[in-house]
């Protein structure tokens, strides 16, 4: 029990999670989603740019995955901190993180569809799912 008391816990873990989740949400919304929309509206994208756009989406998704890992690590830190105290923004931070996870999962479904689908299978049908 004494080892638990000596464990250092960040008093700002709730703020850290809020900032990480916000950064992830902004990245997804402002970087990944516009590329998804462009790829899903194939008529607006010249055929010769399709491969580059898909490659760019993959690179963006790698960055998004790294940001997701940072958010999830901040969440884990908050959970540890809440064992020892009740961080003031605990509930809000957890709710925001949960909302970002839902956004992340929705976007992931679209990314997987686009990256896994052959280029001739891309159509405006994907755009209607948004």
């Amino acid at each position: 029990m004494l080892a638990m008391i000596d464990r250092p816990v960040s008093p700002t873990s709730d703020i850290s999670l809020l900032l990480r989740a916000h950064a992830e949400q902004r990245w997804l919304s402002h970087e990944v989603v516009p590329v998804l929309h462009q790829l899903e509206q194939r008529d607006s994208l010249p055929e010769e740019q399709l491969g580059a756009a898909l490659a760019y989406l993959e690179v963006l998704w790698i960055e998004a995955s790294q940001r997701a890992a940072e958010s999830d690590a901040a969440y884990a830190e908050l959970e540890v901190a809440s064992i020892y105290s009740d961080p003031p923004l605990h509930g809000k931070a957890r709710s925001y993180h949960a909302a970002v996870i839902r956004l992340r999962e929705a976007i992931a479904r679209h990314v997987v569809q686009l990256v896994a689908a052959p280029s001739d299978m891309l159509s405006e049908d994907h755009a209607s799912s948004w």
Side-chain angles (χ1 to χ4, degrees), residues 46-104:
E47 190 66 33
E48 62 273 2
Q49 293 180 0
L50 183 60
L54 284 169
Y56 183 59
L57 176 62
E58 289 185 59
V59 169
L60 287 176
W61 193 245
I62 290 168
E63 175 73 19
S65 298
Q66 292 168 343
R67 289 173 181 267
E70 292 170 359
S71 294
D72 293 345
Y75 176 82
E77 184 180 319
L78 177 66
E79 290 302 298
V80 169
S82 68
I83 292 171
Y84 304 104
S85 66
D86 187 20
L89 299 173
H90 181 111
K92 289 181 182 184
R94 290 183 73 207
S95 295
Y96 194 21
H97 182 252
V100 172
I101 288 175
R102 288 189 298 275
L103 175 63
R104 181 195 308 164

